[in-house]
Structures are given as structure tokens and as C-alpha cells.
Amino acid sequence: MSSTEQEDVRQEIRRGRPRSEAVERSIIEAVVNLLEEGAPLTEISIERIARTAGVGKATIYRRWKGKEELLCDVMKAIEPVDPPLPGTSVRDDLVAMLESLRQRGLAQRSSALLHNVFAQMKSSPKLWDVYHDTVVVARREMGRELIARGVAEGAIRADVPIDVLNDILVGPMLLRTVMRPDAELPEDLSERLVDLALQGLKPQL
Amino acid sequence: MSSTEQEDVRQEIRRGRPRSEAVERSIIEAVVNLLEEGAPLTEISIERIARTAGVGKATIYRRWKGKEELLCDVMKAIEPVDPPLPGTSVRDDLVAMLESLRQRGLAQRSSALLHNVFAQMKSSPKLWDVYHDTVVVARREMGRELIARGVAEGAIRADVPIDVLNDILVGPMLLRTVMRPDAELPEDLSERLVDLALQGLKPQL
Amino acid sequence: MSSTEQEDVRQEIRRGRPRSEAVERSIIEAVVNLLEEGAPLTEISIERIARTAGVGKATIYRRWKGKEELLCDVMKAIEPVDPPLPGTSVRDDLVAMLESLRQRGLAQRSSALLHNVFAQMKSSPKLWDVYHDTVVVARREMGRELIARGVAEGAIRADVPIDVLNDILVGPMLLRTVMRPDAELPEDLSERLVDLALQGLKPQL
Amino acid sequence: MSSTEQEDVRQEIRRGRPRSEAVERSIIEAVVNLLEEGAPLTEISIERIARTAGVGKATIYRRWKGKEELLCDVMKAIEPVDPPLPGTSVRDDLVAMLESLRQRGLAQRSSALLHNVFAQMKSSPKLWDVYHDTVVVARREMGRELIARGVAEGAIRADVPIDVLNDILVGPMLLRTVMRPDAELPEDLSERLVDLALQGLKPQL
DNA sequence: GCCTAACCGAGACGGTACGTCACGTCTTTTA
DNA sequence: TAAAAGACGTGACGTACCGTCTCGGTTAGGC
């Protein structure tokens, strides 16, 4: 199901030969393969995708309006699902949330595929927007709920807007994974960042 | 001065007609104008730049190897210089550092030019790398020195690697300016972020 | 009745839903309409015909092998029948034969439909061939019989092959109508051409 | 020199790299080769021409607006020049004029190239028009002058419009060569047609 | 005051990809 | 089984840029 027609759920009787799902899959798979070969986004032309997928160009344009829309669907196909939170304590859940970000960062470095998508997803504004609207916003919502729980439990101060608190927790890890692709990501990084955020940077007594 | 020939400083006797600096300027200015008109990076073709600048294509290729290299020089031309730190205290300097980031974020939203460059600078890896190597790294160095001073003065705990501390301070503001272009950036944001980072998120006694 | 299945007259028991004759008519009518709108043959695609006729493409391909065969049937549908000869004299019959050619020429100029078909029937060799084999050859046969009668009656010299005589009579009118679409076709042209051909171009005593 | 820019004779200073005549030649030659291989006009796509000529598509479109204009220039390149008239007598000149038409007809049958061009030149109205305007009209003018001379010399009757006389002479041969490609063209055909036209079809005393 | 080399604008050149259209075949549902 | 609808692989269309390559014409230093 392409992103352009998601709203087509209404029971319009689709006439004529139905679109082949196999074709849809092979197109997305072709993009994934090209990405895995390390091809930069600019070199992944629609014509090459069609050739790789063994598909006509028109078949691609019938489903997506352009390369960007197609890539959005590809991204959705690759994007891993966030793991459930342990739920033992607010602090542990915060650590788990950051840990999933760290894992994603590691995945980017190990998998040629993810690396390519993320490193160059900065490419198109639309692609970035979709990523932002689906992944980022969803995760932010998760963070907000978590922090609200912490505030209610008295573990987190109540005199600061939740969004600011969220940024303070998520920002550092995101800075490391997205903007500093060369930085190390030690195993205990999530714990340290959460604890530092909670306790502050001032010397402890 | 183009990035491709910086090493050409050695006193090779350049014969023939020297390259016109006016041409160089008008090319960069053309890109800036196109960017200001809101044209997405993909639509800014070399041919269009040449047309806008009233210049032959070869004249561009004589100076830069491609669009990316040209854009790197354009970026250098528009990138504002960081303001000096007040130096009154480590806390004030940290606030000033974050404040310069916040100003940049505001500029991106107000100036069509900066907005375009940044929002889509995620475009090309090379462009990103140049930005990273020149601007980001430079600013990180500034942060590192600042924090080192804070540690020496006893204002910041010494048991955490400086890079981690830096990320904790810079990350939240960067998250707000770069990755959440829709978020508000209140005037006292820098102060609040610094203070929160220093004091921690736990409820204060 | 399509040209591809003319030999299908034998009483093969046709099973399943019978082909709709109305569909057949509406397809040919669609072509005629498009032709009347002045569309050049190249722009009359099978898809457009199907759309105009409100018919599936397959329904067309089930009946004709391609556009040319379809057009042949269309041509048969619009080609007017030759009027009968008066039979009063050989000379009058020759005039009547040429007159029917002249009428056709005038029709081409007045009717957008005929004009289009003829002016560009030069299009496809197959279409031309069909026209030649059905219309031209048939008319030639008519001319041959007429001239043979004239020779038998002593009105036409017997020392020249009939085909040559036929060409001498028909050629000038055809040249005017087909190859010189701008030329005038005065009412007495047929008479004058026949008389000139009979009497010769030399000055009369 | 392409047909689209013939009027560019005015001494405009041509700037930029001049168009290569070799390229121009190789394009036309490519079309000629494809025609000689017997490819029907419809199968001779611009892309195939470009491929055969080892040339970019844009290079073709830079010179000609489309396939038709290109074919017009190709036709000019193939079209043989009419031989000079003997001038001994009006009758001999008329025979020579018809003979050149007959030769052209024979050439069409022998050379795969000419055959293809003429047999399918009926293709495009534009191509036909160009042929008409350059070749046909020119030849008609030749015929008109010839006949006017005959009338002045008293060899041809003066009471008939020259154009009609011309059609009576040229029509039969044209009918044979263009519209009846299967007909025989005996060596003495030109003489016989001229003599028959002059003397008339009535039995001679 | 030439000479010559490199510059400059313009634009032609062989390519590649674009997004659209039509081809003729196929695969659905509905009749 | 036919019919309407429309998806499918194919391939041409005409356009836009790519990066390279000529052109005629400038514009400097070195002779």
C-alpha cells in the first residue's frame, strides 16, 4: 500500500486488473538492494530502479508521484520498530528509550543500508519530513508520556515544560548518533546520559 | 579563493589572462540569489547558475569540480561568524554559546537563504562534511575549552569525559534548532537549558 | 464484418457471449468522428479510439490485428459507391467516369472527413494497398470495359494497349484531384479532358 | 544546412561552438542507411537515428523540429536532379520530360532506398507538401514553359489553358509511376504517351 | 608594441534521466 | 465467453542538465 493512496480505504469498487503486490514488493526491494550496494541517493534513478526490479517505469509512476514518495515507503519498510519499555522505573524506561536510539545509531554504522538511508536522508526535505512526522514525532510522544509519569511520581521536577525536559534527555544521544557519525557509542552511554541529566553537571557532594 | 586550488599558493608563474575575481563573486552571488528565491537545491543546476551569473559553464568548472564544491564555498560565504564570549563566568559563557546556536536557528526561520541551505544541506554528504568539519568541529572545540575551564574552576564535575558533557549541553539546543524547525525558541531558552543541565532534572529541595 | 475474419463465414458454432455488433459499429463510428474533428492519423491512437467509443482496448484487438486493419474497414465504410454510367455513348460514359473522380475530389475538399482520409491515406502502405486493391483496381476495370467498347465501336484507335489508353484518360483527372489539391476543378473539366484526349493536342484545322 | 534555418543567411555573428557539418552529414546518412535496410518510416525513431549516427538526441532536435523536417532534408539529399532537355523540338523535349519521370519510377523499383521514401512518402502531409512544393511545382513550371513554346510554334493548340495541357501530358505517366507501382514501364512509353496526347485517341485515317 | 597563453561568453556535443504516452498483452470483475 | 477496466513490460517521445569541447574575442605579462 503506497503512501499516496492510503486514504483510498473507502470502499470504492476497484475495477480492472488489480495492482500486483508482488510488483510493489520487488520495486521496494530493488531500492533496498541498490542502497545496500552503497549507491548514493542521487545515482538511484527511477530508470535504474525499474531496470533492477524488472519493471516498467510507468508502473512505478502509477504508484508514486516521484522518487521522494517512493523513498518514503522504502524508509517505512526499513525502519525498525521500537522495543517495548521495561516499565520497572521511570529511570529504567528513560534508559531504554535512549538505548533504542543508540542501537539505531550502531545499526547505521554496521548496515550499509541503514547508513546510506540515514546519512543521506538529509537529502530531500520531503523524505526528512516524513521521517520526522512518523518516526521522530512518535518517539517524542513516547518520551512525553514517560516524563509525565516521572513528574507525577516525583522523580522529575515539575517546573519545566515537558518538551524541554524531553529535549534535554534525547538531544545528547541524537547529537551523537545523527550529527557525529564518527563518535563512539559505549555500552553504558544511555545510563550515563540519563543519570547525568537527572543529577546535573555540578560536582556531586 | 576556491577550495579546489587552495594548495596553489606556491609561486607558480601564472601566465595568460588571470581569472577574474568579479566573475568568481558573481557566480557565488548568483547561487545566493537563487537560494533566496527559495529554489530547492535540486533545482539549482549549474546551467541555471551560469545563466543567472551571466557566465559560461566552463568558467564555473574551471574553478570548482562540481556543484557540491561550489556550494561549499557558498556556505563559507554566508556562514556567520560566532560572536566572542563574555568571559564573565563559565555559566555565562555556556549560555552565550547556546545563544549563538539559538540565533542561528532563528535566522534559519527568518532568512529564506539560511533556511534553504540548512534545511536541505542535509542534501549532499560532501556538503554536510564540509559544514561538519569547519563549523561543527570548530564550535565543538570552543565548547571543549569552555567546559575544561569549568571543570578546572570546580563548577563542573570532573568524573565525566568532556565530550559527553559537551553533548549534554549542546545536544538539546541543536535538537530544537536543526531537527525541530517548528519548535519555539523562547528568549531565555539558553539560560534555562544551561541551568537545567548544571542542576539536573531532579526536583530541587 | 472485420477484414481479419472474413473467412469465418463457415458455420462454426460460436460459444459463449456473442460479439456485440453495436460495439463494432461504435468503434468504427468513433474513428470517423475523430477523423472528422481533423485529427491527423498519427494522433488517432487505439487508446483514444477505445476511449471515444467507450470500449476496452482488448475489444478492438479481438477484432482487428492493429490500427491499419481497423482503418481499412473504416475506409470501406466511408468510401462512396460509383454512380452508374448513362450508357448513351462511349464518349458520355467516359465523361461520367471522369466526373465521378471529379466529384470525389470536390468531396475531399469540402468534407473534413474524406479530406483527412485521402490527404493522409498516403500514410500507411497497407492502407494504400487496400484502397488500391479495392477501389482503384475496381475503377480501372470499369475503365477497361468502357474503352474496349469504344474500340469495338470504332470510336477509339485499336493500335494501343487498353491500359495505356485508360491511363491517358484517367491520369490527368487523378493528377488534378490527388496530387494538386489546390487546383480548380471547373464543371466542364471532364468533358474537356475527354474531348482533348480523343482529338489530341495538335491545333485543329 | 537545415531547412529550418535557411533564412539565416543574414550576417549574424554566430557565437559559441559552431555546429559540426560532419554531424549533420552522419545523421542524414544514418537515415539513408536505415531506409536502405527497408525499415518502414514508422520504425525509424529519432532514438534509433541518433543511435545509428552515434549522436545525441538533442543534436538532432537542435537542427530539426521533428522527424518530418529531418526527412524533408533527407529527401532533398536523395532527390536526383532533372536532366537538361535536348531542345531539338518541342515534341522531343516533352518526351524527355516524361522520360525523366519514367526513370524516377524505375529507380524507385530498383533502389530499396528510393522505393521506401516514395512508397511511404505518402506518409506525412508535411513531407508530401515539401516534395510537392520543391519537386512537383518545379517540374510543373518546366512543363508550362515547354508547352508555351509549343503553342508559340504552332505545334500545340492555343485554345486550352496551359495547366490543363500539362496535366494531360504528365498525368498518365505519373499515374503509372506513383499510383500503379506494379505496372510495366516500357522503354518507348514516353514517346507513345506524347504522340498519343498530340494526335488524340481517335483512330487515325 | 607585439606575442602568446589563459581567460571569457556562448553554445554544440555525446550522454543519461526525466515524466508522459501509446503499444499490444494480461488479468480482474461483471454480465 | 465477451465486455469494460485498467495494470503490465516495453520503448519512443521531447526536454533538461551533465561535464567536455570548440569557437571568436578579450586581457594580461614577457619579449
Side-chain angles (χ1 to χ4, degrees), chain C residues 17 44-47 51 57-58 61 67:
Chain C
R17 176 172 171 180
I44 299 188
S45 60
I46 294 278
E47 304 224 320
R51 231 150 34 214
K57 271 197 295 177
Y61 282 107
K67 192 160 62 177

mmCIF file of all heavy atoms in Angstrom, chain C residues 17 44-47 51 57-58 61 67, chain E residues 21-28 30-31:
data_model
loop_
_atom_site.group_PDB
_atom_site.id
_atom_site.type_symbol
_atom_site.label_atom_id
_atom_site.label_comp_id
_atom_site.label_asym_id
_atom_site.label_seq_id
_atom_site.Cartn_x
_atom_site.Cartn_y
_atom_site.Cartn_z
ATOM 1 N N ARG C 17 -20.730 -15.735 -24.862
ATOM 2 C CA ARG C 17 -21.406 -14.483 -25.204
ATOM 3 C C ARG C 17 -21.043 -14.053 -26.617
ATOM 4 O O ARG C 17 -19.868 -13.957 -26.950
ATOM 5 C CB ARG C 17 -20.980 -13.425 -24.194
ATOM 6 C CG ARG C 17 -21.518 -12.046 -24.475
ATOM 7 C CD ARG C 17 -21.177 -11.166 -23.306
ATOM 8 N NE ARG C 17 -21.471 -9.778 -23.554
ATOM 9 C CZ ARG C 17 -21.237 -8.835 -22.648
ATOM 10 N NH1 ARG C 17 -20.736 -9.154 -21.471
ATOM 11 N NH2 ARG C 17 -21.519 -7.592 -22.916
ATOM 12 N N ILE C 44 -4.401 9.561 -33.917
ATOM 13 C CA ILE C 44 -5.535 8.701 -33.599
ATOM 14 C C ILE C 44 -4.995 7.379 -33.071
ATOM 15 O O ILE C 44 -4.766 6.439 -33.820
ATOM 16 C CB ILE C 44 -6.412 8.479 -34.843
ATOM 17 C CG1 ILE C 44 -6.955 9.828 -35.321
ATOM 18 C CG2 ILE C 44 -7.548 7.525 -34.529
ATOM 19 C CD1 ILE C 44 -7.967 9.733 -36.408
ATOM 20 N N SER C 45 -4.782 7.322 -31.776
ATOM 21 C CA SER C 45 -4.241 6.106 -31.178
ATOM 22 C C SER C 45 -5.377 5.145 -30.846
ATOM 23 O O SER C 45 -6.526 5.539 -30.693
ATOM 24 C CB SER C 45 -3.472 6.456 -29.908
ATOM 25 O OG SER C 45 -4.327 7.090 -28.991
ATOM 26 N N ILE C 46 -5.021 3.897 -30.745
ATOM 27 C CA ILE C 46 -6.002 2.870 -30.369
ATOM 28 C C ILE C 46 -6.631 3.244 -29.031
ATOM 29 O O ILE C 46 -7.839 3.084 -28.829
ATOM 30 C CB ILE C 46 -5.298 1.500 -30.256
ATOM 31 C CG1 ILE C 46 -4.789 1.046 -31.623
ATOM 32 C CG2 ILE C 46 -6.265 0.469 -29.687
ATOM 33 C CD1 ILE C 46 -5.812 0.404 -32.495
ATOM 34 N N GLU C 47 -5.807 3.744 -28.111
ATOM 35 C CA GLU C 47 -6.324 4.106 -26.800
ATOM 36 C C GLU C 47 -7.386 5.196 -26.913
ATOM 37 O O GLU C 47 -8.395 5.174 -26.206
ATOM 38 C CB GLU C 47 -5.188 4.599 -25.894
ATOM 39 C CG GLU C 47 -4.065 3.588 -25.766
ATOM 40 C CD GLU C 47 -3.580 3.433 -24.333
ATOM 41 O OE1 GLU C 47 -3.474 4.452 -23.621
ATOM 42 O OE2 GLU C 47 -3.313 2.286 -23.917
ATOM 43 N N ARG C 51 -11.268 4.952 -25.933
ATOM 44 C CA ARG C 51 -11.859 5.906 -25.013
ATOM 45 C C ARG C 51 -13.094 6.533 -25.651
ATOM 46 O O ARG C 51 -14.158 6.616 -25.040
ATOM 47 C CB ARG C 51 -10.829 6.985 -24.677
ATOM 48 C CG ARG C 51 -10.649 7.225 -23.188
ATOM 49 C CD ARG C 51 -9.241 7.671 -22.833
ATOM 50 N NE ARG C 51 -8.584 8.505 -23.817
ATOM 51 C CZ ARG C 51 -7.282 8.478 -24.067
ATOM 52 N NH1 ARG C 51 -6.518 7.644 -23.397
ATOM 53 N NH2 ARG C 51 -6.744 9.269 -24.955
ATOM 54 N N LYS C 57 -9.735 -1.730 -24.784
ATOM 55 C CA LYS C 57 -8.770 -1.932 -25.872
ATOM 56 C C LYS C 57 -8.835 -3.348 -26.417
ATOM 57 O O LYS C 57 -8.782 -3.579 -27.625
ATOM 58 C CB LYS C 57 -7.352 -1.640 -25.372
ATOM 59 C CG LYS C 57 -6.938 -0.223 -25.523
ATOM 60 C CD LYS C 57 -5.434 -0.066 -25.414
ATOM 61 C CE LYS C 57 -4.933 -0.429 -24.021
ATOM 62 N NZ LYS C 57 -3.466 -0.355 -23.940
ATOM 63 N N ALA C 58 -8.948 -4.305 -25.506
ATOM 64 C CA ALA C 58 -8.952 -5.707 -25.914
ATOM 65 C C ALA C 58 -10.070 -5.993 -26.899
ATOM 66 O O ALA C 58 -9.928 -6.838 -27.788
ATOM 67 C CB ALA C 58 -9.071 -6.600 -24.688
ATOM 68 N N TYR C 61 -8.705 -5.163 -30.217
ATOM 69 C CA TYR C 61 -7.704 -6.118 -30.693
ATOM 70 C C TYR C 61 -8.312 -7.495 -30.957
ATOM 71 O O TYR C 61 -7.717 -8.304 -31.662
ATOM 72 C CB TYR C 61 -6.569 -6.227 -29.675
ATOM 73 C CG TYR C 61 -5.620 -5.061 -29.748
ATOM 74 C CD1 TYR C 61 -5.602 -4.087 -28.760
ATOM 75 C CD2 TYR C 61 -4.758 -4.916 -30.834
ATOM 76 C CE1 TYR C 61 -4.741 -3.004 -28.836
ATOM 77 C CE2 TYR C 61 -3.897 -3.837 -30.915
ATOM 78 C CZ TYR C 61 -3.891 -2.885 -29.918
ATOM 79 O OH TYR C 61 -3.038 -1.826 -30.003
ATOM 80 N N LYS C 67 -4.050 -1.018 -35.964
ATOM 81 C CA LYS C 67 -4.742 0.189 -36.407
ATOM 82 C C LYS C 67 -5.013 0.162 -37.909
ATOM 83 O O LYS C 67 -6.076 0.563 -38.368
ATOM 84 C CB LYS C 67 -3.920 1.425 -36.042
ATOM 85 C CG LYS C 67 -4.693 2.715 -36.201
ATOM 86 C CD LYS C 67 -4.061 3.842 -35.406
ATOM 87 C CE LYS C 67 -2.652 4.148 -35.886
ATOM 88 N NZ LYS C 67 -2.059 5.281 -35.164
ATOM 89 P P DC E 21 0.200 12.205 -20.603
ATOM 90 O OP1 DC E 21 -0.523 13.382 -21.087
ATOM 91 O OP2 DC E 21 -0.277 11.413 -19.439
ATOM 92 O "O5'" DC E 21 0.381 11.195 -21.814
ATOM 93 C "C5'" DC E 21 0.934 11.677 -23.031
ATOM 94 C "C4'" DC E 21 1.246 10.508 -23.936
ATOM 95 O "O4'" DC E 21 2.354 9.751 -23.421
ATOM 96 C "C3'" DC E 21 0.098 9.525 -24.100
ATOM 97 O "O3'" DC E 21 -0.247 9.481 -25.472
ATOM 98 C "C2'" DC E 21 0.656 8.186 -23.624
ATOM 99 C "C1'" DC E 21 2.166 8.392 -23.746
ATOM 100 N N1 DC E 21 2.973 7.600 -22.781
ATOM 101 C C2 DC E 21 4.030 6.793 -23.246
ATOM 102 O O2 DC E 21 4.253 6.747 -24.455
ATOM 103 N N3 DC E 21 4.760 6.089 -22.352
ATOM 104 C C4 DC E 21 4.482 6.179 -21.051
ATOM 105 N N4 DC E 21 5.237 5.476 -20.210
ATOM 106 C C5 DC E 21 3.416 6.997 -20.560
ATOM 107 C C6 DC E 21 2.689 7.692 -21.449
ATOM 108 P P DA E 22 -1.705 8.994 -25.875
ATOM 109 O OP1 DA E 22 -2.205 9.921 -26.890
ATOM 110 O OP2 DA E 22 -2.465 8.697 -24.639
ATOM 111 O "O5'" DA E 22 -1.396 7.597 -26.582
ATOM 112 C "C5'" DA E 22 -0.610 7.587 -27.741
ATOM 113 C "C4'" DA E 22 -0.009 6.212 -27.940
ATOM 114 O "O4'" DA E 22 0.863 5.933 -26.847
ATOM 115 C "C3'" DA E 22 -1.036 5.078 -27.967
ATOM 116 O "O3'" DA E 22 -1.063 4.549 -29.291
ATOM 117 C "C2'" DA E 22 -0.516 4.054 -26.956
ATOM 118 C "C1'" DA E 22 0.882 4.543 -26.622
ATOM 119 N N9 DA E 22 1.255 4.348 -25.224
ATOM 120 C C8 DA E 22 0.667 4.907 -24.131
ATOM 121 N N7 DA E 22 1.216 4.555 -22.995
ATOM 122 C C5 DA E 22 2.233 3.697 -23.376
ATOM 123 C C6 DA E 22 3.186 2.973 -22.631
ATOM 124 N N6 DA E 22 3.275 3.016 -21.297
ATOM 125 N N1 DA E 22 4.055 2.210 -23.318
ATOM 126 C C2 DA E 22 3.965 2.174 -24.653
ATOM 127 N N3 DA E 22 3.124 2.811 -25.452
ATOM 128 C C4 DA E 22 2.271 3.567 -24.744
ATOM 129 P P DC E 23 -1.940 3.334 -29.635
ATOM 130 O OP1 DC E 23 -2.282 3.452 -31.061
ATOM 131 O OP2 DC E 23 -2.989 3.215 -28.614
ATOM 132 O "O5'" DC E 23 -0.952 2.111 -29.488
ATOM 133 C "C5'" DC E 23 0.251 2.093 -30.259
ATOM 134 C "C4'" DC E 23 1.136 0.974 -29.785
ATOM 135 O "O4'" DC E 23 1.524 1.222 -28.425
ATOM 136 C "C3'" DC E 23 0.462 -0.383 -29.761
ATOM 137 O "O3'" DC E 23 0.773 -1.069 -30.960
ATOM 138 C "C2'" DC E 23 1.056 -1.096 -28.544
ATOM 139 C "C1'" DC E 23 1.795 -0.011 -27.794
ATOM 140 N N1 DC E 23 1.413 0.164 -26.369
ATOM 141 C C2 DC E 23 2.154 -0.479 -25.379
ATOM 142 O O2 DC E 23 3.087 -1.211 -25.720
ATOM 143 N N3 DC E 23 1.826 -0.286 -24.070
ATOM 144 C C4 DC E 23 0.809 0.527 -23.760
ATOM 145 N N4 DC E 23 0.536 0.692 -22.467
ATOM 146 C C5 DC E 23 0.047 1.195 -24.752
ATOM 147 C C6 DC E 23 0.369 0.989 -26.042
ATOM 148 P P DG E 24 -0.277 -1.987 -31.671
ATOM 149 O OP1 DG E 24 0.234 -2.371 -32.992
ATOM 150 O OP2 DG E 24 -1.592 -1.333 -31.531
ATOM 151 O "O5'" DG E 24 -0.262 -3.275 -30.730
ATOM 152 C "C5'" DG E 24 0.889 -4.130 -30.784
ATOM 153 C "C4'" DG E 24 0.859 -5.106 -29.622
ATOM 154 O "O4'" DG E 24 0.827 -4.363 -28.383
ATOM 155 C "C3'" DG E 24 -0.381 -6.018 -29.596
ATOM 156 O "O3'" DG E 24 0.030 -7.332 -29.268
ATOM 157 C "C2'" DG E 24 -1.234 -5.391 -28.507
ATOM 158 C "C1'" DG E 24 -0.146 -4.932 -27.547
ATOM 159 N N9 DG E 24 -0.611 -3.923 -26.603
ATOM 160 C C8 DG E 24 -1.473 -2.873 -26.841
ATOM 161 N N7 DG E 24 -1.719 -2.153 -25.775
ATOM 162 C C5 DG E 24 -0.969 -2.754 -24.778
ATOM 163 C C6 DG E 24 -0.847 -2.423 -23.401
ATOM 164 O O6 DG E 24 -1.369 -1.500 -22.799
ATOM 165 N N1 DG E 24 0.012 -3.305 -22.737
ATOM 166 C C2 DG E 24 0.656 -4.370 -23.326
ATOM 167 N N2 DG E 24 1.429 -5.113 -22.549
ATOM 168 N N3 DG E 24 0.550 -4.698 -24.607
ATOM 169 C C4 DG E 24 -0.285 -3.847 -25.270
ATOM 170 P P DT E 25 -0.946 -8.557 -29.028
ATOM 171 O OP1 DT E 25 -0.430 -9.680 -29.810
ATOM 172 O OP2 DT E 25 -2.319 -8.063 -29.224
ATOM 173 O "O5'" DT E 25 -0.758 -8.894 -27.482
ATOM 174 C "C5'" DT E 25 0.556 -9.069 -26.978
ATOM 175 C "C4'" DT E 25 0.508 -9.293 -25.472
ATOM 176 O "O4'" DT E 25 0.095 -8.090 -24.793
ATOM 177 C "C3'" DT E 25 -0.463 -10.385 -25.026
ATOM 178 O "O3'" DT E 25 0.227 -11.245 -24.123
ATOM 179 C "C2'" DT E 25 -1.586 -9.611 -24.350
ATOM 180 C "C1'" DT E 25 -0.839 -8.409 -23.790
ATOM 181 N N1 DT E 25 -1.691 -7.204 -23.545
ATOM 182 C C2 DT E 25 -1.727 -6.643 -22.302
ATOM 183 O O2 DT E 25 -1.091 -7.083 -21.359
ATOM 184 N N3 DT E 25 -2.537 -5.551 -22.175
ATOM 185 C C4 DT E 25 -3.309 -4.977 -23.177
ATOM 186 O O4 DT E 25 -4.000 -3.996 -22.940
ATOM 187 C C5 DT E 25 -3.215 -5.604 -24.464
ATOM 188 C C7 DT E 25 -4.015 -5.064 -25.610
ATOM 189 C C6 DT E 25 -2.427 -6.676 -24.595
ATOM 190 P P DC E 26 -0.464 -12.536 -23.517
ATOM 191 O OP1 DC E 26 0.608 -13.525 -23.248
ATOM 192 O OP2 DC E 26 -1.628 -12.870 -24.362
ATOM 193 O "O5'" DC E 26 -1.023 -12.008 -22.095
ATOM 194 C "C5'" DC E 26 -0.140 -11.884 -20.972
ATOM 195 C "C4'" DC E 26 -0.955 -11.410 -19.769
ATOM 196 O "O4'" DC E 26 -1.444 -10.085 -20.077
ATOM 197 C "C3'" DC E 26 -2.197 -12.248 -19.490
ATOM 198 O "O3'" DC E 26 -1.959 -13.324 -18.560
ATOM 199 C "C2'" DC E 26 -3.226 -11.233 -19.020
ATOM 200 C "C1'" DC E 26 -2.644 -9.865 -19.376
ATOM 201 N N1 DC E 26 -3.557 -9.050 -20.247
ATOM 202 C C2 DC E 26 -4.204 -7.939 -19.711
ATOM 203 O O2 DC E 26 -3.999 -7.645 -18.521
ATOM 204 N N3 DC E 26 -5.036 -7.214 -20.486
ATOM 205 C C4 DC E 26 -5.227 -7.568 -21.759
ATOM 206 N N4 DC E 26 -6.046 -6.807 -22.487
ATOM 207 C C5 DC E 26 -4.588 -8.683 -22.327
ATOM 208 C C6 DC E 26 -3.764 -9.401 -21.545
ATOM 209 P P DT E 27 -1.683 -13.247 -17.036
ATOM 210 O OP1 DT E 27 -0.466 -12.450 -16.850
ATOM 211 O OP2 DT E 27 -1.757 -14.632 -16.569
ATOM 212 O "O5'" DT E 27 -2.885 -12.469 -16.332
ATOM 213 C "C5'" DT E 27 -2.548 -11.673 -15.198
ATOM 214 C "C4'" DT E 27 -3.772 -10.958 -14.662
ATOM 215 O "O4'" DT E 27 -4.410 -10.146 -15.669
ATOM 216 C "C3'" DT E 27 -4.851 -11.887 -14.104
ATOM 217 O "O3'" DT E 27 -5.318 -11.291 -12.910
ATOM 218 C "C2'" DT E 27 -5.932 -11.812 -15.174
ATOM 219 C "C1'" DT E 27 -5.798 -10.333 -15.548
ATOM 220 N N1 DT E 27 -6.420 -9.916 -16.831
ATOM 221 C C2 DT E 27 -7.195 -8.776 -16.843
ATOM 222 O O2 DT E 27 -7.397 -8.088 -15.872
ATOM 223 N N3 DT E 27 -7.709 -8.471 -18.085
ATOM 224 C C4 DT E 27 -7.549 -9.171 -19.249
ATOM 225 O O4 DT E 27 -8.073 -8.795 -20.303
ATOM 226 C C5 DT E 27 -6.731 -10.348 -19.155
ATOM 227 C C7 DT E 27 -6.488 -11.187 -20.361
ATOM 228 C C6 DT E 27 -6.221 -10.663 -17.965
ATOM 229 P P DT E 28 -5.426 -12.239 -11.577
ATOM 230 O OP1 DT E 28 -4.182 -12.032 -10.843
ATOM 231 O OP2 DT E 28 -5.864 -13.595 -11.987
ATOM 232 O "O5'" DT E 28 -6.625 -11.562 -10.789
ATOM 233 C "C5'" DT E 28 -7.962 -11.695 -11.289
ATOM 234 C "C4'" DT E 28 -8.643 -10.339 -11.261
ATOM 235 O "O4'" DT E 28 -8.421 -9.680 -12.493
ATOM 236 C "C3'" DT E 28 -10.144 -10.433 -11.111
ATOM 237 O "O3'" DT E 28 -10.492 -10.384 -9.742
ATOM 238 C "C2'" DT E 28 -10.624 -9.180 -11.821
ATOM 239 C "C1'" DT E 28 -9.544 -8.901 -12.840
ATOM 240 N N1 DT E 28 -9.911 -9.193 -14.256
ATOM 241 C C2 DT E 28 -10.621 -8.258 -14.965
ATOM 242 O O2 DT E 28 -10.998 -7.200 -14.490
ATOM 243 N N3 DT E 28 -10.905 -8.602 -16.268
ATOM 244 C C4 DT E 28 -10.532 -9.769 -16.912
ATOM 245 O O4 DT E 28 -10.847 -9.953 -18.088
ATOM 246 C C5 DT E 28 -9.788 -10.706 -16.108
ATOM 247 C C7 DT E 28 -9.331 -11.979 -16.711
ATOM 248 C C6 DT E 28 -9.523 -10.376 -14.836
ATOM 249 P P DT E 30 -17.783 -7.538 -9.188
ATOM 250 O OP1 DT E 30 -18.216 -6.351 -8.426
ATOM 251 O OP2 DT E 30 -17.913 -8.894 -8.640
ATOM 252 O "O5'" DT E 30 -18.528 -7.481 -10.592
ATOM 253 C "C5'" DT E 30 -18.508 -6.280 -11.349
ATOM 254 C "C4'" DT E 30 -19.288 -6.470 -12.622
ATOM 255 O "O4'" DT E 30 -18.573 -7.345 -13.528
ATOM 256 C "C3'" DT E 30 -20.682 -7.068 -12.467
ATOM 257 O "O3'" DT E 30 -21.578 -6.250 -13.209
ATOM 258 C "C2'" DT E 30 -20.542 -8.471 -13.045
ATOM 259 C "C1'" DT E 30 -19.489 -8.232 -14.121
ATOM 260 N N1 DT E 30 -18.704 -9.420 -14.576
ATOM 261 C C2 DT E 30 -18.523 -9.623 -15.923
ATOM 262 O O2 DT E 30 -18.983 -8.901 -16.776
ATOM 263 N N3 DT E 30 -17.778 -10.734 -16.229
ATOM 264 C C4 DT E 30 -17.201 -11.631 -15.347
ATOM 265 O O4 DT E 30 -16.557 -12.585 -15.745
ATOM 266 C C5 DT E 30 -17.426 -11.342 -13.945
ATOM 267 C C7 DT E 30 -16.864 -12.251 -12.906
ATOM 268 C C6 DT E 30 -18.163 -10.272 -13.626
ATOM 269 P P DA E 31 -23.122 -6.569 -13.230
ATOM 270 O OP1 DA E 31 -23.795 -5.258 -13.290
ATOM 271 O OP2 DA E 31 -23.419 -7.548 -12.167
ATOM 272 O "O5'" DA E 31 -23.297 -7.272 -14.638
ATOM 273 C "C5'" DA E 31 -23.013 -6.525 -15.810
ATOM 274 C "C4'" DA E 31 -23.187 -7.395 -17.027
ATOM 275 O "O4'" DA E 31 -22.218 -8.474 -16.984
ATOM 276 C "C3'" DA E 31 -24.554 -8.065 -17.126
ATOM 277 O "O3'" DA E 31 -25.017 -7.934 -18.468
ATOM 278 C "C2'" DA E 31 -24.283 -9.536 -16.804
ATOM 279 C "C1'" DA E 31 -22.865 -9.680 -17.347
ATOM 280 N N9 DA E 31 -22.081 -10.767 -16.763
ATOM 281 C C8 DA E 31 -21.916 -11.092 -15.443
ATOM 282 N N7 DA E 31 -21.149 -12.134 -15.234
ATOM 283 C C5 DA E 31 -20.772 -12.532 -16.518
ATOM 284 C C6 DA E 31 -19.960 -13.583 -16.983
ATOM 285 N N6 DA E 31 -19.356 -14.450 -16.178
ATOM 286 N N1 DA E 31 -19.805 -13.685 -18.325
ATOM 287 C C2 DA E 31 -20.427 -12.798 -19.127
ATOM 288 N N3 DA E 31 -21.207 -11.769 -18.796
ATOM 289 C C4 DA E 31 -21.342 -11.694 -17.468
#
